[in-house]
Amino acid sequence: MKRITCLLLGGALALSLAACSKPASPTATATTPMQLKLYHVPAQQSTQLARALQRALIGGNLAGMFKQTSIRVSSPYPGTLTVYAPRATQTSVGQVITELVKSATTPMAPARLQVHFWLVNVIAGKGADTAALKPLEPTLDHLRAALGPSHFVLDEAVSATTSMAGNGWGSLKTMHGQYQHVYRFQAEAGTGGAIRLKMSFEDHSGQTIPQLQTTTILRPGHYVVLAQAPSASATGSATTLTHLLVASIDRPGTSS
């Protein structure tokens, strides 16, 4: 960015100053009228613009038009630049600042996301689904049609906030007696607004889905069954047919 800024500013400044009135004589340094002028700029770019403009004005010697060494550029507080320079150049300096503001790229904060996981037990026979699974109903109904009479019971639901900054993996751990469920995940930007979710899951007790590593494409607000593991366990008269791991992703402030 520094190199691009300097090149752009130098070129723009030379072109702008070329349109000024007759250049001052190099011997007229002492009599060159100076002016202190305040410019408003985006607050997040203030320091960057001040440094670039100071380098260009001093290093470029005002495109050879003035031999003036007392030029000063500063940012007294965010959102402003003060430029002390020959009065004849202030209009051109203003034009250059405008172009720099347009071309400057301020780093954006990484997009924040919320990732959600549901561990669900599919129980044989008709019955009431866990109320918390209501948002997943359209997705689960497809499985119910394939499995026959069954209902869905929530084992656990976990959520975490992450970003698409490519800065490592997030993780969640839940305790079940002396055993852990471990969720690890990483979100990356996909195409068309989709999110590529890399994740792994471990149930150290081996009672649900022992281990999983997968990559899937998610769209905010949609639900995806990441894994399905058959089970022969029984509790009383209820038989657990299978275990499901379901995922969804959305942006903070939206509901899944």
Side-chain angles (χ1 to χ4, degrees), residues 35-185:
Q35 181 183 34
L36 179 65
K37 191 168 182 179
L38 179 72
Y39 296 89
H40 294 283
V41 297
Q44 69 272 26
Q45 296 177 11
S46 303
T47 301
Q48 174 186 342
L49 291 172
R51 291 173 180 170
L53 192 58
Q54 176 76 20
R55 282 195 303 269
L57 292 178
I58 298 300
N61 202 21
L62 287 176
M65 298 185 68
F66 294 94
K67 290 185 177 180
Q68 178 56 254
T69 59
S70 58
I71 297 165
R72 293 291 181 270
V73 181
S74 64
S75 178
Y77 52 88
T80 63
L81 292 183
T82 56
V83 179
Y84 182 68
R87 181 178 301 164
T89 69
Q90 289 287 7
T91 299
S92 298
V93 169
Q95 294 170 354
V96 171
I97 290 174
T98 298
E99 292 303 314
L100 280 172
V101 169
K102 290 179 181 179
S103 63
T105 56
T106 301
M108 298 180 65
R112 303 299 291 172
L113 301 168
Q114 288 178 331
V115 59
H116 310 276
F117 299 104
W118 293 265
L119 195 57
V120 180
N121 298 324
V122 184
I123 310 299
K126 293 182 178 180
D129 295 344
T130 300
L133 296 175
K134 182 70 174 177
L136 285 68
E137 194 172 75
T139 300
L140 298 178
D141 281 346
H142 287 292
L143 289 170
R144 197 186 333 255
L147 293 170
S150 56
H151 57 286
F152 300 96
V153 176
L154 179 65
D155 186 315
E156 70 177 7
V158 296
S159 298
T161 300
T162 186
S163 70
M164 292 188 293
N167 54 352
W169 290 67
S171 65
L172 287 166
K173 296 180 181 179
T174 60
M175 295 302 301
H176 295 263
Q178 60 180 322
Y179 299 107
Q180 290 182 333
H181 289 170
V182 181
Y183 303 79
R184 299 183 68 246
F185 47 88

Side-chain angles (χ1 to χ4, degrees), residues 119-121 155 176 179-181 201-211 229-234 240 242-243:
L119 195 57
V120 180
N121 298 324
D155 186 315
H176 295 263
Y179 299 107
Q180 290 182 333
H181 289 170
F201 173 78
E202 294 179 25
D203 177 355
H204 291 179
S205 72
Q207 297 300 306
T208 59
I209 299 170
Q211 193 171 36
S231 172
S233 64
T240 302
T242 189
H243 306 284

